């Protein structure tokens, strides 16, 4: 699957970092940073809820809303796909 993600250069990010952080914090926007339009890093809101029983990445994925876009595409994955062990 090819994703069409708009990537912001690190130069532009540095020039606008305060605004970017505010937009992530208050609006929940997600920003992708990279070079030559190749994504290298993603900035998402830190979760409001943090469960110490889980790893940092699980907390971010589960509670930050970073997967909220899937609500708009409910048929993207079936329950069978989610239960399948890929690795």
């Amino acid at each position: 699957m090819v994703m069409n993600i708009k990537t912001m250069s690190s130069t532009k990010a540095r020039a606008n970092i305060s605004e970017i952080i505010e937009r992530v914090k208050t609006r929940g926007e997600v920003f992708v940073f990279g070079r030559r339009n190749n994504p290298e890093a993603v900035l998402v809101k830190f979760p409001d809820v943090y469960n110490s029983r889980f790893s940092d990445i699980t907390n971010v994925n589960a509670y930050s809303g970073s997967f909220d876009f899937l609500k708009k595409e409910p048929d993207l994955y079936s329950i069978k796909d989610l239960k399948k062990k890929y690795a």
Side-chain angles (χ1 to χ4, degrees):
M1 172 172 47
V2 176
M3 296 180 79
N4 187 12
I5 298 175
K6 183 170 169 50
T7 304
M8 180 182 295
S9 71
S10 57
T11 302
K12 186 173 180 181
R14 277 192 304 274
N16 298 290
I17 194 67
S18 295
E19 178 190 347
I20 292 168
I21 291 172
E22 187 64 23
R23 287 170 59 179
V24 170
K25 186 173 79 171
T26 59
R27 299 183 203 165
E29 292 183 45
V30 176
F31 287 85
V32 178
F33 308 105
R35 294 184 190 136
R36 295 179 213 47
N37 210 30
N38 290 318
E40 294 179 337
V42 177
L43 180 63
V44 297
K45 183 179 178 192
F46 195 80
D48 295 328
V49 177
Y50 191 90
N51 188 329
S52 61
R53 294 181 299 152
F54 301 132
S55 68
D56 291 341
I57 192 65
T58 299
N59 274 291
V60 169
N61 288 334
Y63 300 115
S64 71
S66 57
F67 287 99
D68 285 353
F69 71 93
L70 291 174
K71 292 176 187 172
K72 297 175 186 171
E73 301 183 35
D75 298 330
L76 190 60
Y77 297 103
S78 70
I79 296 298
K80 184 178 176 182
D81 290 330
L82 298 175
K83 290 182 178 180
K84 183 176 178 182
K85 188 172 184 175
Y86 290 94

